[in-house]
Amino acid sequence: MSNRYTKLALSVLLPAMLLVGCSDWLTSPKAKSDPNNPTTAGRDQLLVGVETAQTTLQTGDIARLLSMWVQSMAGTQRQYSLLDNYQFDEDAFSPDWSLVYTGGGLVDIRTIESQALDAGDSVYAGVGYVLEALTMGTAADLWGDIPYSQAVSDSVITPELDPQQQVYAMIQAKLDTAITFLQCTSATCAGPGAIDLWYGQDANTDDAAQWTELAHTLKARYYMHTAEVDPGSYALALAQADSGISTPDNDLRSYQSTDPNEWNLWYQFMVIQRSGYTGAGQYMVNLLKSDDDPRLQQYYAPNSQGQIVGAPVGGGSVSASDVSATRLAPDFHQPMVTYAENQLIIAEAALHDGDPGTALTAYNAERSSQGVPTAGSVTLPDVMTEKYIALFQQIEPWNDYKRTCLPAITPARSSGVPGRLLYPLSTERNANPNIPAPSDQPQRNWNDPNPCPAP
Amino acid sequence: MRRRLLEFSAILGALALMAPTAHAQQEAVLTGHVTSEGGTPLPNASVFIEQTREGTLTGVDGAYRLVVPAARVTGQQVTLSVRLIGYRQESDTLALTAGTHTHDFTLVANPLRLGEVVVTGQGLTTTREKLGNVINTVDSAAITRSNETNVVNAIAAKAPNVEVTSQAGDPGASSYIRIRGPKTISGTGQPLFVVDGVPIDNSTLNTEGSTTQGTVSPNRASDINPDDIASIDILKGAAAAAIYGARAGQGVVLITTKKGQSGPTRYSLRSSYSFDDVTNGVPLQTKYGLGGLDENGVPQSPECNSLNPAAGLDCYAGVTTSFGPELPAGTPTYNHWDDLFDTGHTWDNNLSISGGNDRTLFYLSGGRTNTDGTMVGPNNWYDKTTVRLNASHQVFDNLRAGLDISYVDTRGHYTQMGSNVDGLLLGSLRTPPEFNNAEYLDPTSKLQRSYRFPFPSVASTTDSRGYDNPFFVLNEDLNQSNLSRTYGNVNLSYDPFDWLNVRETFGADYYTDQRLEGFPLTSSGQPTGQVFRTDFMNYQLDQNLIATATHTFNPSFSGSLTIGQNVNARNFQQVRVQGITLVAPQPFNLLNTINWTPDDSSVQVHSESYFAQATADLFDRLHLTAAIRNDGFSTFGSSSRRHWFPKASAAFTVLDNTNENPGLLSFLKLRAAYGETGTEPPAYSTDQVYLVGQFILDAGWGSALFANQNGLGGLLAGFTRAQPNLGPERTKEVEAGADFGFFGARGDGSLTLYNDRTVGAIFLAPLANSTGYGQQAQNAGTIRNRGVEVALNVRPIMNPDLTWEIGLQWARNQNQVLDLSGQQFVDLPTGGYFTGAIATAWKGSGLGVIRGADFARCGRGLNIDGVNIDQACGNAPKGALYIDSTGFPVVDPTNRVIADGNPKWTGSVRTAVTWHKIQLSGLLDIRHGGQTWNGTRGALVSFGTSAFTLDRGVQRTFGQDIMPGAVAGPGAGDPVVIDENWYAGNGGGFGPVASQFIEDASFVKLREISLGYTLDQPWVTRNLGFSSIDLRVAGRNLHTWTDYTGIDPESNLGGAAVLIQGIDYFNNPQTRSFVISVGLNR
C-alpha cells in the first residue's frame, strides 16, 4: 500500500511544485514593462525634447506658412503655391497641433514643472512655466479658443475649449509665477544649467536672468495680442517690456548645428527636402529695396541671374530668390523672441500711450542693434514696418498684421489673410466632440475682431 | 471490446504496465501477414500488443514478426492489434505463451478514418469518430507528393477553408496561411504552429523592417523538414482550438513528426531533383521607344537616349517613359522579362534511419535542400540543412523518457523587389524596349548604367541612376541570411496507476538569423552605397504538464478527465543598423560606412495557463467533450490579467453500418461544438513609455530634428497612450456538421457550418491630441466570419489491382467588419500601404479590403467642381461611368472600398489512381473571386512599357472599347484619343484612380500531378539490397488558368508578414516545377 501512496504523492506533488514557484512570472520586469523605451523620464531629458519640439513649432511649418501670408516669403511650387493662396484643408496643420500637446509639448512641460517643484528647484519650474506660456500662447494665437484648462489631464479624454481671452489670462498668470520662481536663489534652485539648449550654452551668462527677461517680453507680447480688444493692454505691455529682453545677446534663439540631426529647419526644407517650394516674397523684397535697407542682402540671396527678386503671391513665373546663405546655414540659430521685438513693443505701446519720446528711443535702439540708420521721429507705420522686417521668418509678424493691418500688404484673395487656422481633423476633432466642424468654426479669433482691408 | 480510452497514451508510445512477477522459460514469437480485403499485402502497418505497447511494422510483403522476451511471457491474455492509416484497426486476443503464434489480419478500408488517432492539442488525442469539431489531417504521403520545401505550401488545397498564398517563387519565400477568414486587425493573422506539442516561431522578418520593399523572407515554419513530418492536424475553428486559448485565435497547425518503431532498423533515402521556371510574365510592348509627346501631341524621342551616345557622356535622360515614336524597323529590342530568368533547380536529399527494441526507439534523419533560383546571376539561392533525432526509452515499466531535437541551418541569397528603386522588376519593366539592360556596366567608366543614366562618366559615382539596372541588382547587390535554429523537447510520461498518466514536456525553440544587405555605390536608393546589418534572435521555452485519468464505469459509459498547466516564455530581439555611404566600395561592412542609424529592440512575453478537459463516451455513440482554459499573459493589462476560454462539443453516431450491410447511407455522425479562442495584444501596450531616438517631424515635409541635441539626450512622452485594461481579442464560434459514408466504403463526405464572431479586436483608436496623446489601443472591433465547408470523396473503382478515388472540397467564408467603435475604417498596421490603395478594415465590408479612389459614377450623390453628377447622369443606371464634356471620366476623390481580396469560395479537386504498383495523382486548387490590386500594371501603363498601352494614339470611346459598361454625362459616347496624357494622368497608376487596376484574381491551378512506381519485387532485395524503390515524376503548379493579367493571382508583396493579401507591385514572380524523385528503402 505504501507504494500506492508514494505514487499518488509523486503524481500530485511533483506537478504541484511546478505549478507554484512562478508567482511573478507574468509580471517579471522584461515581460511586463517595455525594455526598449524608458517608462520614466527625468526633467533634463524632457527639457531637451521639449526645446527641440518647440523649436520645430516656432521655426518650422507654421513659420514658413505665416511668412508667406505676410509676404516676406512666397509659395512658388506644388502645395506651397496653394498654401500661399490660403488653400488648405482641415488636416493641413495636424502635426503642428500635436507639437503643442503631445510628446515634446504640454504633456512633457507639465512633467518638467512638477518634477522641478518636487525637487524644490523653482528656477527649473520657472523655465517650465515660460515654456508652457510660449507654447500655449502660440496655440492661442493660431487657433483662438483651445483646450487648456482640461488639456493633458488623466481624467478628461475630450477636453473642452477654453475661450482665447481666458487662455491669455492663464498664460499671463503662468508668466507671473514664472518670474517669481526664477528669482529663487536657494541651493535647490540650480535650474537646468547646461542642459538648456536655449540659454544654457553660454557659461558666462545668468540663465535665470535671461529666462526672466524672456518671461517679461512674452508677457508684453501677449498683452499686445489682446490690445485690439482691450486698449488697456498697451500700458501693461509697456510695463513688462521695460523688464524684457535687454540686449540682442539675450534673444531667444533655436539651437542648431552642422550635425544633420540638428540642422536648422529652414535649411532642411529649402535646400534638402523641398527645394523650389518657397522663395523670397515680393512685398518684403521691394520694401527693403525701396528703403535701400542692408537687410535685403542679409535676408535673401541673389537668384541665378544675380538679382534679388521676390515672387508675387502664389509664385508667378519669376525666379524668386532664396533665403540668404547666412540665414540658410545649417547651424543658423533661428530667432524666436528677440530684443528687437521687445524694443518695438515699447515703441508701439508708447505711441499709443502718448509718449513719442520713449517710442523714438526704443525704435532707434532697435534700429541701431540691427545696423540700420536711426530716425528723428517715428510713427506707428514706421514701428510696425520695422517690426515686420526685423522679425523676418518668425510667426509674430502675422499676429501684428492681423492687429494693425500693417504693413499694408495686398492679400492673395478677397477673403483677406486668414485670421486663424482650422482645428485639425485627425489629431483632434475626430476624437473630440467639443471641437466644432469647420463650417461652425469662427473666421476670426476673439482677439482680432476687425478684418484688414482686402482687394 | 477494445478499450479506446487509453489511445491517447498510445500515441505517446509511452505506457508500459508490465507484468513483472512470474518468469517463463522461453520467448514468444508472434508472426503473420496483414493484407487488405482484396488480398494485397499491406506494408508499414503497425502491429502491437495493446497491454505492453510492444510492436513492430509489417514489411513490404505484409509480414510481421514480433518477439516478446521470455521474461515477459507468462501466459497472460493479451490483445494483438494492427493499425494502418486508411484502414480500420483489427485486434485479436491470445494467451501469450512461449513459442510461435501465427495471426493473420485482413484490414477493412476505413475511408472515414474511424478509430484513427487525431491530435487535438496540448498533448491530447482522441479518435476521429469522437470529434465534435472539424480537424483536418494531412498525412506524410500528401506532404511528400507536394514536392514543397516549405511545409505551409505543402498544405495548399489540402483542407477546406485553409488558404495558402505563396509570396513569390524566390527560393525561401514566405507562405501565408489563412484559416476560416481574417479575424484580427493588428496582427498578421497567422495560426499558431506546434511541433510535437511545443509551439514554434513562424515569424516572417524583413531585413529592412519594411513590408513593401526589400527581399522575400522565409516564414520560419519553413525550417521544418517536410520529410520529417508524419502528419499535420489543422485546428480550424475556435471550437477546436480553444485548448490553446489566447494564442489560437487564428487557428492552430499541429505537426507530428515521425517516430521510430521497434523491429529491424530501417533506412530510407529519398532524393529529388527539380527543374523550376517562372510562370506568367507581364505583357510588355516592344513597338515604341523612349520618349513622350511634344507640345503638338506628336511622339518624340529625347535627344538623350541610349541610341544616341553622341548626346554626351553624362547625359541624364529626363524623359523616363516609352511614349516615343515607333521604333525604326530593325531596331533591336529586348525582352525585359525573359532576360532575367533561366531554369532553376532544387536538389533535395533526405536520409532517415529508424528502429529500436522493446524499450528503446529512435528515429534519426538528415535533410539537405539546395535551391538555385530562377533568376540569372549568382545571388539567388537558398540552402537548408536539417538534422533530427527522436528517441525514447522505457526507463521503468511505468516511466518513459523521450527526446526530440532538430537542428536547422538555412542560408540564402535573395533579390530586391517591390516598391523599391533598387528592386529587380521595378527598374527592368520600366525600361524602354530598345535599351539593353544586359550591359549593366559602362564599358569605359565601369560604373552602373541604367536606361535613365545610360552614359555614366568616371566622376558619376554618386549620381542617382533613377532605377537600378536589373542586372546590377542581380549581380552586385548582396542580400543574405544565415540562420541557425535548434528546437525540440524532452518529455517524461509516468503511469503511476493504470487509470492515470502524467506527462511533462519541456520544449525549446531557439534561432539566430544574421542578415546583411549591401547596396554598392551608384545604387539608386542610396547612390553613396549602404549596408543593412540585422540580427534577429528568437527563443521560446514551453513547459507543459498534463495529468489524465480515465475510467470505464460500465461498458456503455466511460470517461476521462485531464488537467494541465502550460508555462511559456518568448523572447525576440533584433539589432538593426543601417550604415550609409560606403568608404571603400567593398566590403559590405558597417565599419566601412560613414553614418550609422541603429534600431534595436526586444520583446519578451510570458504566459501561464491552466486547462482542464473532460470527456464522456456513452453507448459508443455519443461522445461529449468539455474543456476550459485559463490564460494569464504578461501582455494583458494588470486589471485583466487572466481570461477564460471554454469549449464544449458533442458527436453522435446516428448510424454505423459500414461493416455490415452497406446501403445507400452506411454511416452518419452529427456533431456540434462551441468554443472560444483569443489573440493576445501586442506586447507592452499596457505601459506608458517615453520614446528614445525619435525624430520630431516638421509636419510632413521630410525635415526633422532629432530628439537628442548637442550631445544631450532627449525624451518625449510616447504618442500612444497606455491601455492598462487591454485584454485578448476573443473569437466565439459555433460549429455544426455531419460526417457521412455511403455504399460502404465507396464514398464519404462531410458538411460543416460555422459562425464566429471576434469581439474586442484590437486597434489603435485616435485620441484627441489635447489629452497629451495621439492614440490608444482598444479592444473595440467586432468581426464576423461565417461559412460552409463541404468535402466529398468517392471511390468508383476499388479492385485489388485498380483503385480510383476522387476527392472534392468546397468552402466559403464570408467576412464582415461589424463594428469599429464608431470609426468607419481603421487602416491595417501591417503593410500594403500604397498611395491610393490602402489596406483597411472597413465597417460593413470585409477585413483587408482596399480603400482608394474611383472614377465618378452615377447615383453616388457626387458634386464635383460644381457639377451635380447625378443630375448630369439623367436616367442612367446607378453605377454608370460619368463622362464629362471632354469625353473622359473624372475622378471621384471620395474614399471608398475599391477591392476585396477575400475569395468568394475556394475548392479543390483531387484524384488518385492506383494500378498494381503504379500510382497516379493530381490536385487542382481553385479560388473563385477575391481581387488583387495590380499596381504593376498601373505603373507600367504610366511608363508606356505595358502592352496595354499599344492602343496609344487610337480613338476610343468610354463605355464601348475602353472601360466597357454603362456611361452617362455630356461626353458619353464621344470618341477620344488615348495617349500618354491619359496613361500618365488619370488612366495610369500614378494618377489618383486605383480602382481601374483592381482585377479579379480567381484561378484554377494544377497544383500537383504525380506519377509513381514502386519496385518491390524479390529481385530488388536480392540483387540491389533494398526492400523497395520508389520512383516518381511530378509537376508542381504546372499550369494556372486565370484572367489575371499580372504575374500570378497567387502572389502577395508582403507575404506572411502582412494580414492584407492582394497587393501586386513589382513582386518577384511565381515558379512551377518538374520533379524527378527516387526513394530507396531498406
Side-chain angles (χ1 to χ4, degrees), chain B residues 451-489:
Chain B
Y451 89 92
R452 292 175 61 172
F453 203 89
F455 306 110
S457 71
V458 183
S460 52
T461 52
T462 57
D463 293 335
S464 176
R465 268 56 180 164
Y467 309 128
D468 274 1
N469 184 310
F471 291 92
F472 185 82
V473 173
L474 290 171
N475 289 292
E476 306 295 330
D477 287 2
L478 177 69
N479 304 283
Q480 75 175 24
S481 160
N482 289 337
L483 172 128
S484 298
R485 182 173 193 170
T486 306
Y487 65 95
N489 69 80

Side-chain angles (χ1 to χ4, degrees), chain A residues 4 7-8 10-11 15 18-19 22 25-28 30-41 44-46 48-49 52-53 55-56 60-61 64 79-80 83 95-99 101-104 107-108 111 147 151-154 156-157 159 194-195 197 201 255-256 261-263 265 268-269 273-274 277 426-428 430-432, chain B residues 398 494-497 499-500 502 504 543 545 564-565 567-569 571 573 595 600-608 610 632-635 638 641-642 684 686-692 694-719 721 766-774 823:
Chain A
R4 181 181 175 83
K7 287 177 175 177
L8 196 59
L10 265 179
S11 41
L18 283 163
L19 297 183
C22 46
W25 180 246
L26 302 180
T27 53
S28 72
K30 276 187 179 171
K32 183 179 176 297
S33 301
D34 188 340
N36 308 305
N37 290 294
T39 51
T40 58
D44 285 354
Q45 289 70 44
L46 290 174
V48 174
T52 309
T55 294
T56 310
D61 192 42
R64 292 190 301 270
Q79 294 100 316
Y80 263 52
L83 288 171
D96 305 295
W97 179 270
S98 297
L99 286 173
Y101 292 103
T102 63
V107 65
D108 287 342
T111 309
V152 190
S153 151
D154 281 344
V156 183
I157 58 161
I195 208 84
L197 293 168
Q201 301 309 303
Y255 171 79
Q256 323 282 171
N261 289 327
E262 302 173 359
W263 283 344
L265 289 172
Q268 290 196 42
F269 184 91
Q273 300 290 346
R274 305 281 168 160
Y277 273 45
S426 63
T427 57
E428 188 71 23
N430 204 14
N432 189 350
Chain B
N398 56 7
Y494 177 51
D495 297 273
F497 309 103
W499 53 270
L500 180 67
V502 181
E504 159 70 26
Q543 189 277 131
L545 177 65
Q565 183 219 25
V567 179
N568 183 281
N571 192 324
Q573 293 179 20
N595 292 104
D600 56 338
S601 64
S602 71
V603 176
Q604 185 163 318
V605 176
H606 285 183
S607 67
E608 183 198 30
Y610 300 93
F633 274 61
S634 62
T635 52
S638 54
R641 191 63 86 194
R642 303 204 75 93
Y684 311 130
T686 60
D687 266 347
Q688 191 62 57
V689 296
Y690 289 89
L691 301 177
V692 292
Q694 290 295 298
F695 280 97
I696 297 162
L697 303 182
D698 174 25
W701 306 105
S703 32
L705 293 172
F706 202 58
N708 302 339
Q709 293 276 308
N710 195 28
L712 303 169
L715 291 175
L716 304 168
F719 194 65
R721 186 169 205 165
L767 285 183
N769 280 210
S770 59
T771 61
Y773 302 94
Q823 316 275 327

Side-chain angles (χ1 to χ4, degrees), chain B residues 63 90 133 176 236 567 593 759 822 837 882 954 1059:
Chain B
E90 294 292 332
N133 43 52
Y176 174 92
K236 288 157 77 172
V567 179
T593 60
V759 297
Y882 173 78
V954 173
L1059 181 67

Side-chain angles (χ1 to χ4, degrees), chain B residues 571-588:
Chain B
N571 192 324
F572 173 77
Q573 293 179 20
Q574 73 168 42
V575 179
R576 174 185 292 125
V577 183
Q578 180 183 15
I580 293 176
T581 305
L582 290 164
V583 179
Q586 289 284 344
F588 295 131

Side-chain angles (χ1 to χ4, degrees), chain A residues 60-348:
Chain A
D61 192 42
I62 294 290
R64 292 190 301 270
L65 174 86
L66 298 179
S67 296
M68 293 194 293
W69 284 2
V70 299
Q71 300 176 14
S72 59
M73 297 296 293
T76 46
Q77 237 182 52
R78 317 262 309 240
Q79 294 100 316
Y80 263 52
S81 303
L82 302 176
L83 288 171
D84 199 0
N85 272 305
Y86 321 140
Q87 292 177 40
F88 53 90
D89 67 20
E90 207 183 347
D91 249 347
F93 309 107
S94 300
D96 305 295
W97 179 270
S98 297
L99 286 173
V100 172
Y101 292 103
T102 63
L106 187 60
V107 65
D108 287 342
I109 295 171
R110 288 281 168 82
T111 309
I112 293 171
E113 292 166 359
S114 63
Q115 285 191 7
L117 290 174
D118 288 349
D121 189 341
S122 295
V123 169
Y124 213 133
V127 168
Y129 277 36
V130 177
L131 283 167
E132 179 171 334
L134 175 64
T135 302
M136 299 316 295
T138 303
D141 297 341
L142 296 171
W143 286 284
D145 304 348
I146 54 169
Y148 188 24
S149 56
Q150 292 185 350
V152 190
S153 151
D154 281 344
S155 55
V156 183
I157 58 161
T158 56
E160 288 180 3
L161 292 172
D162 292 332
Q164 191 195 30
Q165 181 178 13
Q166 194 183 318
V167 175
Y168 282 133
M170 286 189 282
I171 289 167
Q172 293 291 356
K174 277 277 169 203
L175 288 166
D176 288 335
T177 312
I179 290 164
T180 310
F181 279 175
L182 286 163
Q183 310 310 312
C184 175
T185 54
S186 76
T188 55
C189 289
I195 208 84
D196 173 7
L197 293 168
W198 289 348
Y199 282 134
Q201 301 309 303
D202 184 346
N204 300 319
T205 55
D206 177 350
D207 300 346
Q210 289 176 311
W211 279 100
T212 305
E213 287 187 5
L214 173 65
H216 284 294
T217 301
L218 285 176
K219 278 186 72 74
R221 175 192 277 190
Y222 293 122
Y223 280 132
M224 296 304 282
H225 287 191
T226 60
E228 190 178 342
V229 288
D230 178 10
S233 300
Y234 291 118
L236 294 169
L238 188 57
Q240 290 299 327
D242 280 343
S243 313
I245 297 173
S246 58
T247 157
D249 291 342
N250 289 351
D251 283 356
L252 183 72
R253 285 172 172 266
S254 65
Y255 171 79
Q256 323 282 171
S257 85
T258 52
D259 180 325
N261 289 327
E262 302 173 359
W263 283 344
N264 153 23
L265 289 172
W266 281 87
Y267 169 72
Q268 290 196 42
F269 184 91
M270 291 190 69
V271 179
I272 303 295
Q273 300 290 346
R274 305 281 168 160
S275 171
Y277 273 45
T278 181
Q282 198 175 50
Y283 186 89
M284 174 79 103
V285 167
N286 292 350
L287 177 68
L288 294 173
K289 279 182 176 170
S290 68
D291 290 351
D292 206 13
D293 192 315
R295 287 174 290 194
L296 180 69
Q297 286 79 19
Q298 291 167 21
Y299 289 176
Y300 301 111
N303 67 9
S304 52
Q305 280 89 49
Q307 306 292 314
I308 292 178
V309 178
V313 172
S317 56
V318 295
S319 165
S321 288
D322 256 345
V323 170
S324 69
T326 313
R327 291 186 78 103
L328 273 194
D331 58 349
F332 180 75
H333 292 221
Q334 212 67 46
M336 297 185 288
V337 186
T338 58
Y339 169 78
E341 179 181 348
N342 193 69
Q343 288 304 308
L344 295 170
I345 288 172
I346 292 173
E348 184 189 352

